Amino acid sequence: MIIKKYLVKDMNEAMTKIKNDLGIDAVIISSRKIRKPGIGGLLSKKVIEVTAAVDNSEKEDNDYGKIQNSTKEDSITALKKAMEKHSERAKNQEQKMALETSKPSYFQNAKEEKLLNEMQEMKNLISGFVKKSSEEENSVMLKLKNSDMNEEVIKELLTELQDGNEEDLKNIVKKHIKLSVPKENGVMVLVGPTGVGKTTTIAKLAGKFSLMEKKKVGLITVDTYRIGAVEQLRTYADIMNIPFSVVLTIKEMDQAINSMKDCDIILVDTTGRSSKNEMQISELRAFIERTHSQNIHLVLSCTTKDNDIKSIVSGYKKINFQNVIITKLDETTTYGSVINILKYTGKPISYFTTGQNVPDDIKTLTVEEISSLILGEDTVC
Ligand SMILES: Nc1nc2c(ncn2[C@@H]2O[C@H](COP(=O)(O)OP(=O)(O)O)[C@@H](O)[C@H]2O)c(=O)[nH]1
Ligand SMILES: [Mg+2]
């Protein structure tokens, strides 16, 4: 510890002197007003005596004067030490400055403005992106709405939409199209409401199997309510020269199937039952169970109103159908109902019909073809 006394006029002078003499680490221990020592001092003005001290271990390193009093080795060591200390301090100072300059730029005016501009640019970019993606979503939404797809189904599809572009949408639509490879042997049964085209579809299938594929086909109808309908199918059976049976009771079903056991495929047409009439549905179910068929197709027309399709499907749930046939694709220009039907039934589509011509207007479409129809890229005919 080095302790020194200073005689000064005021504290300012004391501070300057102490700083120069002992360095910035010095501390003032005491100060008092005194007259200068000696005879002259008695007449003079009072001065301030300030006592200051500094830790001399620190001071030693910086005190080059001390080197003069040491041996040569001591001097070299002390000098080296002092140099090291100096360079360490310089390094610390550099780091401190580096820290100062790397302070967040929003503390500095020019940089702050630059940052604000950049933030604004980013904001514009983001809002532009959000706007673009909501525009894209709207256009996708419109496309699906225009296809007469049910709103709930649209919502479901939109949740899967990542990019909102055409390709993405098409892939999602494709993902929801489920098709079955129809089993074209054994007993095949068609059920569904009146007028959707069951009998016509049976005639088309009979033509396809017997005339084109040269299969042995048998026809059975339980369409007992409409004599005209029975005659319609009998006419086709006669033209194609294939066996035909009208079934009025469950017992007759056994006999009819038995009589056609040498056929490759037996097509069973049914009466259009009201899906709201549980009795009728249960009665139909009893007839169908007698066929032991696991190849039952619910026939629905894509021209039927969405709500009606829903209630038809729920009515026919009692009949354990495995496939869906969608008819009258030629009578509409919007095909979103295909997805609706798939959603409501949870069953794959086996055939599509596209007109009244027997046997030509029946098709199996690909997922690609159906998705193009739904998205308005293509039409039937
Ligand atoms: N435009 C069009 N009409 C069809 C189609 N399938 C059946 N139809 C017609 O729909 C009407 C009812 O058909 P039908 O087979 O008797 O229906 P069912 O009562 O379900 O047996 C008839 O006029 C058929 O010609 C089709 O795919 N397109
Ligand atoms: Mg019919």
Side-chain angles (χ1 to χ4, degrees), residues 195 197-200 223 226 229 232 269-272:
K198 292 182 299 300
T199 306
T200 314
D223 193 350
R226 289 165 60 200
Q232 182 192 348
D269 191 12
T270 58
T271 317

Side-chain angles (χ1 to χ4, degrees), residues 7 33 57 62 102 127 142-143 162 258 304 347 353 374:
L7 291 177
K33 281 190 175 174
S57 62
N62 289 327
S102 70
S127 69
L142 206 70
K143 217 163 199 174
Q162 305 272 315
N258 223 14
T304 306
K347 302 291 178 196
T353 76
I374 293 169

Side-chain angles (χ1 to χ4, degrees), residues 60-326:
E60 257 171 28
D61 290 339
N62 289 327
D63 193 352
Y64 290 44
K66 197 171 182 289
I67 295 167
Q68 289 162 4
N69 304 324
S70 316
T71 62
K72 201 178 170 191
E73 283 79 21
D74 283 350
S75 308
I76 293 167
T77 320
L79 193 60
K80 270 187 186 168
K81 254 186 165 181
M83 296 283 279
E84 272 169 23
K85 198 92 182 174
H86 176 76
S87 69
E88 200 174 293
R89 276 193 183 165
K91 212 166 107 191
N92 287 344
Q93 189 63 25
E94 252 172 49
Q95 280 174 352
K96 208 175 152 198
M97 277 172 71
L99 259 173
E100 286 290 334
T101 49
S102 70
K103 266 184 185 168
S105 53
Y106 44 81
F107 289 125
Q108 298 153 37
N109 274 346
K111 287 191 176 174
E112 185 179 313
E113 201 181 323
K114 195 174 162 233
L115 191 86
L116 275 174
N117 287 341
E118 280 173 5
M119 279 169 78
Q120 190 57 46
E121 268 172 38
M122 269 169 71
K123 213 175 135 189
N124 293 345
L125 216 76
I126 291 166
S127 69
F129 175 73
V130 169
K131 201 171 155 217
K132 192 166 165 254
S133 54
S134 68
E135 271 168 13
E136 271 169 351
E137 194 168 303
N138 283 343
S139 91
V140 162
M141 183 86 142
L142 206 70
K143 217 163 199 174
L144 298 179
K145 267 194 170 169
N146 285 344
S147 76
D148 278 340
M149 199 178 283
N150 174 285
E151 292 226 358
E152 291 300 310
V153 179
I154 293 177
K155 270 187 209 157
E156 192 191 326
L157 261 63
L158 284 183
T159 56
E160 293 170 33
L161 202 70
Q162 305 272 315
D163 301 336
N165 62 36
E166 296 287 314
E167 210 42 47
D168 195 18
L169 176 66
K170 194 157 189 180
N171 286 334
I172 290 165
V173 169
K174 277 185 185 174
K175 217 178 84 187
H176 288 265
I177 299 168
K178 306 279 181 227
L179 303 175
S180 62
V181 180
K183 211 167 96 196
E184 297 180 336
N185 53 44
V187 181
M188 184 190 275
V189 183
L190 266 58
V191 295
T194 311
V196 290
K198 292 182 299 300
T199 306
T200 314
T201 303
I202 289 266
K204 287 172 185 172
L205 287 171
K208 171 175 139 65
F209 299 144
S210 74
L211 303 176
M212 296 179 208
E213 296 172 18
K214 306 288 179 214
K215 280 184 180 163
K216 272 192 98 167
V217 180
L219 289 183
I220 294 176
T221 184
V222 284
D223 193 350
T224 52
Y225 298 153
R226 289 165 60 200
I227 299 302
V230 171
E231 290 314 310
Q232 182 192 348
L233 200 55
R234 192 191 298 278
T235 311
Y236 286 122
D238 286 348
I239 296 167
M240 289 183 263
N241 197 23
I242 52 181
F244 175 69
S245 278
V246 179
V247 167
L248 300 171
T249 64
I250 287 176
K251 217 173 146 203
E252 281 177 9
M253 180 64 88
D254 291 339
Q255 290 163 359
I257 289 179
N258 223 14
S259 71
M260 295 177 188
K261 50 174 191 286
D262 59 333
C263 289
D264 299 311
I265 183 159
I266 300 169
L267 298 167
V268 180
D269 191 12
T270 58
T271 317
R273 313 278 163 142
S274 166
S275 53
K276 290 181 216 152
N277 189 326
E278 283 198 26
M279 272 289 287
Q280 283 189 9
I281 295 286
S282 299
E283 188 190 17
L284 179 66
R285 184 182 159 156
F287 271 97
I288 292 168
E289 275 175 355
R290 209 55 173 228
T291 68
H292 305 290
S293 175
Q294 288 298 308
N295 195 13
I296 304 163
H297 302 244
L298 174 65
V299 184
L300 295 168
S301 164
C302 65
T303 59
T304 306
K305 280 193 298 190
D306 188 47
N307 278 337
D308 291 342
I309 288 183
K310 269 189 200 163
S311 68
I312 291 164
V313 170
S314 88
Y316 275 88
K317 278 262 154 80
K318 269 202 161 171
I319 291 168
N320 191 20
F321 58 92
Q322 292 84 26
N323 303 273
V324 179
I325 294 175
I326 302 182

Side-chain angles (χ1 to χ4, degrees), residues 8-27:
V8 290
K9 290 196 298 295
D10 51 38
M11 285 312 279
N12 270 349
E13 191 192 345
M15 298 294 278
T16 317
K17 276 192 172 168
I18 294 165
K19 212 164 107 187
N20 289 340
D21 202 11
L22 299 179
I24 48 164
D25 297 328
V27 288

